[in-house]
Amino acid sequence: MDTWQRRTLQYVVGLAAVMVAYAAAYDAGMSVYEGSPISFLHALQVVVETFTTTGFGSDAPWTSPEMNVLVIVMDLTGVVLIFLALPVLVFPLFEQAISTTVPAAADERLSDHVVICTLTPRGETLVEELDSWGVDHLILEPDRDRARDLYEEGYDVIHADPQSVDGLEAARLPAARSLVADDSDPVNTSTVLTAKEVAEDVRTVSVVDDPDRERYHRLAGADDVLSPRALLGEGLASKVTTGISTELGEAIEIGEDFEVAELPIQRGSDLVGRTIAESGIRERAGANVIGAWFRGEFESPPDPDATLDNGTVLLVSGHEDQLERLKDLTMSDVRRFGRGQTLVVGCGEVGTTVSTALSSAGVPSEVMDLRDEPGVDVVGDATDPEALSRAGVEDARTVILALPDDTLTEFAILVVRDLNPSIELIARAEQTENVQKMYRAGADYVLSLATVSGRMLASTILEDEEVISLDKQVEVVRTHAPNLVGRTLGEADVRARTGCTVVGVERDGEVVTDLGPDFRVREGDELVIAGTDEGTNRFTETMS
């Protein structure tokens, strides 16, 4: 018997007892005070009529004050017991009748899917990636209300416990391509143990909150263990190490001496304030702009009239010397020769990873945190101007805000920008929806933990893609395009139709990178294209 049934039974028994008691009192009162003896059944009828407000029959009115008081009390009792009980007992029945029924098992035809055990913000990014690649997925949610909410939002979800054999079997785990355990460390290890019991050969990916516990995830049987916060720290640090060096950072090699890379534009660069058309990037450096991130939003191909500012990140292709010339254009003259340090605010896992990466790259830095612990150079509040001044923010080259609280980060951005308007400000965001607010507050570059985690999961599960950015999934794909054979790139208008750029063509064992609108595709050519998930999918659908 569930809680609602037990509560209803107790209510009915109590209501019957109260009505019988009032019937006995009414029967006695009619004899003593009104001088009109009645039967007990008649007295019970009057009580029922009173409680249900259907009338009092021939007994009204009453002449004695005692009987009038008794009837008044019965009226009030009836209102309380009957009408105020409706929201507790009756309404839940209606809600249950009209509520959404969440499936408890997957469709029997579902196969080669990704089983996601509970949905987090990083899981939402993963779902977007899987959708863009046309990979089926299924979310397991043990909480009924949460499962219903997700189902009503359009997610493929079932209400099941991922830590139970029945739950994973209901998700058709033996037919799945992989499982993602994305909860707390203890829940994730429990889910992995259960998954290995249900389908030992299915690949399991577990997300670890505390890197020190990675060993236990692997002991549980996880095939891959991901630590998103460490990767986030490395991503934040890379924006500094790439930004202060004239050497080209990480890039993907397409052919001999031809690469695809991302280059952030620094505050104070000669490119800031110009449109892409006005910048003369092609003429001055020879590199080709494939796409660009404008305050976290990726565009490919970018609008020639789009204005470049500090924080814009260019996705470019070209020979190494061309990319190095463009790298030089993206840098600030002040920063190129300045000696200011990098201030890392926050000494958690992300901040520690940042400071370690900077140290390995030979970049001088100081660490500021609220707590005085090993590795902290300055103790203070990131939102306190005096504490930031003690940390040397006015003379620093760059500040990296590695705080776990987005609200504090937003406020700290305002304070730092007020103290040093020209400083390069890089921030960490816990939630993707807060990224734009941080840009509006004055950040030059924002990296979202949820986005990084989701991209990381996607690139682990989808082994065929090559990730060169943490902000937006960008792939370099080699593919044949039968529908382009005999046509020039200009005639096909590939960039406008798909959002992808053909950066190279492999022909007769050699990679051709000098591609213009008159380049004609031949039979057997293998095209090297760069673009987002959606763009590469569109290219495959329309050109293959």
Side-chain angles (χ1 to χ4, degrees), residues 307-503:
T307 302
L308 303 173
D309 60 12
N310 52 285
T312 297
V313 181
L314 301 175
L315 180 66
V316 295
S317 64
H319 295 285
E320 186 173 351
D321 60 333
Q322 294 173 332
L323 297 184
E324 287 177 350
R325 285 198 296 272
L326 178 55
K327 170 68 176 177
D328 193 56
L329 293 176
T330 63
M331 296 182 66
S332 164
D333 288 338
V334 175
R335 299 193 191 287
R336 187 180 293 114
F337 304 107
R339 295 185 177 181
Q341 293 192 108
T342 295
L343 174 61
V344 181
V345 181
C347 193
E349 182 186 341
V350 174
T352 300
T353 303
V354 170
S355 58
T356 300
L358 293 177
S359 177
S360 299
V363 178
S365 65
E366 285 199 354
V367 178
M368 175 180 175
D369 197 89
L370 274 173
R371 296 170 297 179
D372 187 5
E373 53 187 35
V376 176
D377 301 301
V378 180
V379 178
D381 186 347
T383 62
D384 181 5
E386 293 184 1
L388 289 169
S389 294
R390 289 200 311 273
V393 72
E394 286 95 339
D395 299 321
R397 175 199 299 271
T398 306
V399 62
I400 299 179
L401 297 174
L403 303 172
D405 186 302
D406 285 353
T407 302
L408 289 179
T409 300
E410 292 161 10
F411 195 90
I413 291 171
L414 296 170
V415 177
V416 170
R417 183 59 70 204
D418 181 58
L419 291 172
N420 189 341
S422 63
I423 198 171
E424 182 183 29
L425 209 162
I426 301 171
R428 155 201 182 174
E430 282 289 305
Q431 303 295 332
T432 304
E433 58 263 27
N434 293 326
V435 168
Q436 290 304 317
K437 287 198 292 182
M438 292 183 185
Y439 276 117
R440 283 196 295 271
D444 292 311
Y445 187 83
V446 183
L447 203 52
S448 163
L449 177 61
T451 301
V452 168
S453 306
R455 304 299 182 199
M456 190 179 186
L457 286 168
S459 62
T460 300
I461 295 170
L462 305 172
E463 297 177 332
D464 295 333
E465 64 178 323
E466 189 167 14
V467 181
I468 65 173
S469 174
L470 302 175
D471 298 272
K472 182 71 178 177
Q473 201 69 34
V474 175
E475 289 116 19
V476 176
V477 179
R478 293 176 180 268
T479 182
H480 292 282
N483 291 341
L484 285 181
V485 174
R487 303 168 64 189
T488 67
L489 296 180
E491 292 171 349
D493 202 11
V494 174
R495 295 187 72 176
R497 293 176 61 189
T498 67
C500 293
T501 299
V502 180
V503 295

Side-chain angles (χ1 to χ4, degrees), residues 159-183:
H159 174 231
D161 183 3
Q163 299 180 67
S164 70
V165 171
D166 290 342
L168 293 182
E169 288 180 343
R172 294 183 52 78
L173 182 63
R177 69 160 61 185
S178 59
L179 174 142
V180 175
D182 190 12
D183 206 304

Side-chain angles (χ1 to χ4, degrees), residues 520-542:
R520 192 174 300 275
V521 180
R522 298 178 185 174
E523 185 75 32
D525 283 352
E526 188 176 45
L527 277 63
V528 183
I529 61 171
T532 63
D533 294 337
E534 296 85 351
T536 54
N537 286 343
R538 281 196 299 271
F539 183 93
T540 303
E541 292 171 359
T542 59

